[in-house]
Amino acid sequence: METNKTKFLKEGYIRIESLLSLSEVDVLRAIYDAILQDKVKTAHLRSDLAGTEMNPHKKVERITQIMRPSSLVPELLKTSAYKKAGLWAKDLLGEDMELDFDMMINKAPNTNTPTPWHQDAAYWISMPDQRSASCWIALDKVFKENGCMWFIPKTVGNPILPHKNMPNGGALFCETDTSQAESIPLLPGGCTFHDGHTLHFSQGNTTDTQRRALILNFRPKKMIDYEREQGVDHTGERKQRN
């Protein structure tokens, strides 16, 4: 019988229908929205994954990414989301899994800007232990039209494909066969877990409301220490390292 753990190890991703209750989601939304609206405090951690517009006077954040939000609002770390996701990460990959970093990714209404196909491992430095789990938590109902996650099951060998940056400092992207891609719609409080080598993507938001996601990234404690020794704290520029 296939379990969440065996599916995650085999295909590189799983869906959890309900990680959080609606009351737990409401707590996160309040903190999330306050951080999102504060462009002064978040300036050094904030960017647009879509890349910057050529005309700065018309600049609109289409895919707002804020790295390490819990460094700005430590109370996030005390919310149930971090505890529950951490327990899942340990169950999937081992008791030495810890939170490496968190981030917020918001797709603004009617911006219709996809997050391109990529593998998170392309951003990594080379590490001897490749275990990782990213928990993507939906704070809104997510579906194809507003940017739910899509995944492609892992393949044998699971290579890191060549990646490039989107124009004007945007996200990394790669070319890949998407014929086996699966979309994962979720209700608020639902989540997915994927590993760093799993190809994933989301469509642009064509609706009149935000698509808010909180992402918690886990890896072995020794590898977190290794990253920090190499100066990697997940606040720097986006580029292919691996």
Side-chain angles (χ1 to χ4, degrees):
M1 179 178 176
E2 187 175 56
T3 65
N4 279 315
K5 182 173 181 177
T6 57
K7 178 176 171 61
F8 180 82
L9 295 175
K10 177 184 176 182
E11 298 186 358
Y13 65 96
I14 57 171
R15 176 200 335 229
I16 307 298
E17 295 287 356
S18 181
L19 178 72
L20 305 173
S21 68
L22 288 179
S23 61
E24 291 171 319
V25 170
D26 283 340
V27 170
L28 287 176
R29 284 172 174 165
I31 300 172
Y32 192 106
D33 288 347
I35 295 173
L36 189 65
Q37 292 163 15
D38 191 339
K39 293 190 176 182
V40 175
K41 184 185 290 186
T42 62
H44 64 299
L45 300 171
R46 187 183 194 110
S47 60
D48 188 344
L49 286 176
T52 57
E53 296 284 352
M54 295 303 291
N55 184 346
H57 300 293
K58 295 182 180 180
K59 183 178 184 300
V60 174
E61 290 178 343
R62 292 162 289 172
I63 310 175
T64 303
Q65 181 186 59
I66 298 176
M67 300 298 296
R68 305 289 296 271
S70 61
S71 68
L72 302 174
V73 183
E75 68 185 272
L76 270 173
L77 297 171
K78 299 178 182 179
T79 62
S80 56
Y82 286 69
K83 180 179 180 179
K84 290 181 177 181
L87 291 173
W88 269 100
K90 290 177 185 293
D91 183 63
L92 293 171
L93 290 173
E95 288 297 319
D96 59 341
M97 299 297 286
E98 301 289 347
L99 180 69
D100 184 2
F101 65 100
D102 53 352
M103 62 179 168
M104 297 164 42
I105 298 182
N106 179 68
K107 291 200 170 187
N110 298 304
T111 46
N112 194 20
T113 305
T115 303
W117 285 103
H118 68 283
Q119 297 161 292
D120 294 339
Y123 290 98
W124 300 351
I125 59 173
S126 179
M127 285 179 280
D129 189 336
Q130 299 285 305
R131 285 177 295 152
S132 72
S134 293
C135 180
W136 193 99
I137 303 171
L139 300 187
D140 301 290
K141 182 179 180 179
V142 296
F143 43 95
K144 292 178 183 179
E145 291 79 11
N146 74 345
C148 71
M149 292 286 273
W150 292 68
F151 297 102
I152 297 173
K154 290 195 303 184
T155 58
V156 176
N158 209 31
I160 301 174
L161 301 176
H163 285 65
K164 298 178 181 179
N165 273 99
M166 295 290 286
N168 305 311
L172 290 180
F173 73 97
C174 65
E175 302 292 338
T176 189
D177 176 8
T178 63
S179 60
Q180 301 301 311
E182 178 188 14
S183 65
I184 310 289
L186 294 167
L187 294 175
C191 74
T192 58
F193 279 87
H194 67 273
D195 80 11
H197 291 79
T198 303
L199 285 152
H200 54 288
F201 154 91
S202 65
Q203 292 181 184
N205 183 2
T206 60
T207 72
D208 294 332
T209 57
Q210 293 185 104
R211 191 232 61 186
R212 293 167 289 187
L214 175 67
I215 300 95
L216 311 181
N217 296 273
F218 300 89
R219 70 171 72 250
K221 178 63 166 60
K222 287 185 177 179
M223 294 301 97
I224 297 172
D225 294 340
Y226 181 79
E227 284 184 312
R228 301 300 184 268
E229 290 168 1
Q230 305 299 314
V232 176
D233 63 0
H234 304 286
T235 63
E237 65 178 315
R238 291 186 292 268
K239 62 181 179 180
Q240 180 159 1
R241 295 184 173 93
N242 201 348

